[in-house]
Amino acid sequence: MRIQPFNVRAHLIPFATRVLYRGAQERHQPQEWPVPVGDRELYTEEDMEAWRVILPQGVLYAFCHQAAGWRPRELLVGREAWSAEARRLRLWDAAAGLSMTFGEGSLRLCEGLYNGVARKPREAEKRKKHAAHDDAAEIKRLIAIDLSGVGDMALSYWAACALWSQIGAAGVQTAASASPRTSWPGLLAHMAAANPMLGLRHGPWTEQPVPDDAALDALIASPARALLPWWIGHALDYWQSREAALWGETPEAFVAARLNQRAQLRAWVQAINRSGWVHLLEPIRESFVVQERWLGALAQHTNVATVSSDAWRRVHPDRIPAPAALAEAGRKRVEAAYKRLRHEERESVRRSWADALECALLLSEAYRERVRVHHADREANDVFMVDWGARTRVDAMAERLSAAARGIEGRLG
């Protein structure tokens, strides 16, 4: 009878389960450390059977509860976009035929992230016992693993979402001599660059925000497309959760985040248009509606500097002030946050914000392009797009946001 080098079912599997089921709602700090990464004797048959149950169930739970998979969405379903059928489905029905498998990289990721956030013993003697453990070497191993499969990509997304703020905090440090690439924040930046969905969620705040066109095309063409209507929405929700905090950043960081948001939105809208799976534009439209309602919240408050990121929820979509009032509120917000800057510097802040808001016109342009197709020549996705645009009044929303953006920037007309 062999002795297991680490009790996986007592520590590592419960950690992965809590990450998937609880997400960022709790601070994950397991106490038994470290997991002996790379040990071929680490897992028993029972452990592997537990992994095969926990990972798919946990990822599905995260999609259903954190990404609102219970919410029905209008989808195009079929082998080809031009002949797809419009259906209204919940996530578990849309992804009913999706085979979500997890490779060795998923296990390595769970091991490494466990070690990254585990509570390290303070006593010198206890730490000395584990002196062979090297964070920098472990991060190098994590950067090298392949997480390109649908299941692996989904797991890395939900794990990173749960641990992003924690793993990049001061309490999770590598040696002072470690390079940025072999630090935990460096690992997160690498994961965001390699995973288009993490790139969408966290890209505006990382050094490599612009997604690769080929990667986006491949993702939309893959079986993961069944998850994207909810997945894209969850990623963009994070932008709004950071909105109030963004105004406390330096002007340079603010401008960089806005330019990155613009780059992300343009890349995604263009990729969706190329693919023909135009139903994926809906969560992007919803994010612009949130921006419009948040501007409405600014317009309704006397002190724009104290408006919270979720204040948009208290603004009824049918009672949003006129674009001129939204623009005035936006200018006041810039003045309140950066009143000590020179006029030219504030102008740069306003312009970057306006450029991000004006990306709403990309949706309007995509809609109008399909409207111009003759009735007799419209394919299934053209019909869907025309109906979607008319029903959601995407044209009017985009024009209101564009007018507000022009006012924020100070342009006429």
Side-chain angles (χ1 to χ4, degrees):
M1 180 178 180
R2 73 178 181 86
I3 299 176
Q4 192 175 22
F6 185 86
N7 195 329
V8 171
R9 274 176 291 168
H11 304 291
L12 181 56
I13 289 179
F15 163 77
T17 303
R18 286 194 301 272
V19 163
L20 290 171
Y21 279 75
R22 297 292 297 164
Q25 295 179 43
E26 69 176 61
R27 184 172 177 83
H28 305 277
Q29 232 177 357
Q31 297 186 12
E32 190 66 24
W33 174 83
V35 177
V37 176
D39 191 325
R40 292 183 178 275
E41 302 296 321
L42 180 59
Y43 299 111
T44 65
E45 290 183 10
E46 290 80 7
D47 294 335
M48 295 306 298
E49 184 58 35
W51 278 124
R52 282 189 284 270
V53 173
I54 289 298
L55 291 183
Q57 287 186 356
V59 167
L60 180 61
Y61 182 94
F63 272 114
C64 291
H65 289 262
Q66 296 187 49
W70 48 265
R71 176 187 170 192
R73 284 187 173 276
E74 297 287 343
L75 312 177
L76 285 169
V77 180
R79 297 175 65 90
E80 303 289 344
W82 63 269
S83 60
E85 176 188 358
R87 300 184 64 185
R88 186 173 175 81
L89 300 172
R90 292 181 171 86
L91 181 139
W92 51 83
D93 295 319
L98 178 62
S99 177
M100 194 174 294
T101 58
F102 301 85
E104 182 181 350
S106 286
L107 298 186
R108 299 292 171 255
L109 179 69
C110 291
E111 296 164 7
L113 293 179
Y114 178 104
N115 286 338
V117 299
R119 183 178 299 173
K120 312 301 190 292
R122 295 184 179 181
E123 297 85 347
E125 284 302 315
K126 288 184 179 180
R127 290 191 70 105
K128 187 177 179 180
K129 185 174 68 171
H130 300 299
H133 178 77
D134 183 342
D135 270 0
E138 185 151 35
I139 290 165
K140 286 182 179 179
R141 285 193 294 269
L142 290 174
I143 287 175
I145 62 178
D146 179 16
L147 294 168
S148 58
V150 175
D152 300 324
M153 186 182 297
L155 175 66
S156 65
Y157 177 88
W158 291 113
C161 287
L163 301 172
W164 193 279
S165 60
Q166 183 178 345
I167 209 170
V172 181
Q173 296 286 342
T174 49
S177 59
S179 69
R181 185 167 175 78
T182 54
S183 66
W184 290 106
L187 169 66
L188 295 176
H190 167 81
M191 292 174 66
N195 184 334
M197 295 311 306
L198 266 178
L200 179 61
R201 181 176 168 89
H202 292 281
W205 296 272
T206 63
E207 295 180 0
Q208 296 177 313
V210 182
D212 178 75
D213 286 348
L216 289 183
D217 293 343
L219 177 63
I220 295 172
S222 76
R225 183 175 63 247
L227 303 169
L228 289 181
W230 297 270
W231 207 346
I232 293 171
H234 182 268
L236 292 176
D237 283 347
Y238 182 72
W239 291 15
Q240 183 59 31
S241 73
R242 290 283 300 264
E243 185 64 39
L246 185 56
W247 291 93
E249 300 282 357
T250 65
E252 294 79 12
F254 181 95
V255 169
R258 294 302 189 192
L259 293 179
N260 293 342
Q261 287 178 343
R262 178 177 181 270
Q264 287 281 348
L265 291 168
R266 292 186 69 87
W268 272 91
V269 172
Q270 290 168 359
I272 291 168
N273 279 336
R274 284 195 303 270
S275 74
W277 296 102
V278 291
H279 66 283
L280 299 177
L281 294 174
E282 172 60 11
I284 299 177
R285 184 197 70 85
E286 290 173 349
S287 74
F288 282 117
V289 171
V290 169
Q291 285 295 298
E292 187 181 24
R293 291 170 67 181
W294 193 74
L295 280 170
L298 292 179
Q300 293 175 8
H301 280 71
T302 55
N303 186 355
V304 293
T306 62
V307 179
S308 63
S309 294
D310 64 350
W312 65 272
R313 298 181 184 277
R314 297 184 286 276
V315 178
H316 194 278
D318 296 332
R319 297 180 181 176
I320 299 174
L326 301 183
E328 181 182 2
R331 290 194 300 270
K332 286 182 178 178
R333 189 67 187 91
V334 174
E335 293 294 325
Y338 301 110
K339 58 186 176 183
R340 295 177 180 173
L341 298 181
R342 297 194 304 271
H343 174 75
E344 295 80 4
E345 294 171 318
R346 289 197 300 273
E347 186 178 10
S348 177
V349 169
R350 291 197 304 271
R351 186 186 308 115
S352 66
W353 188 18
D355 286 346
L357 292 173
E358 277 205 302
C359 282
L361 288 176
L362 295 173
L363 300 181
S364 178
E365 291 166 6
Y367 164 62
R368 291 178 183 178
E369 180 182 346
R370 306 293 173 134
V371 169
R372 288 192 290 268
V373 177
H374 192 276
H375 292 272
D377 297 327
R378 288 177 185 169
E379 297 175 341
N381 52 353
D382 298 323
V383 174
F384 180 95
M385 185 74 161
V386 171
D387 175 71
W388 169 78
R391 177 166 37 85
T392 62
R393 301 170 65 188
V394 68
D395 244 352
M397 180 276 294
E399 183 51 44
R400 289 194 304 271
L401 261 185
S402 177
R406 292 194 298 269
I408 289 171
E409 188 179 349
R411 283 178 288 159
L412 298 176

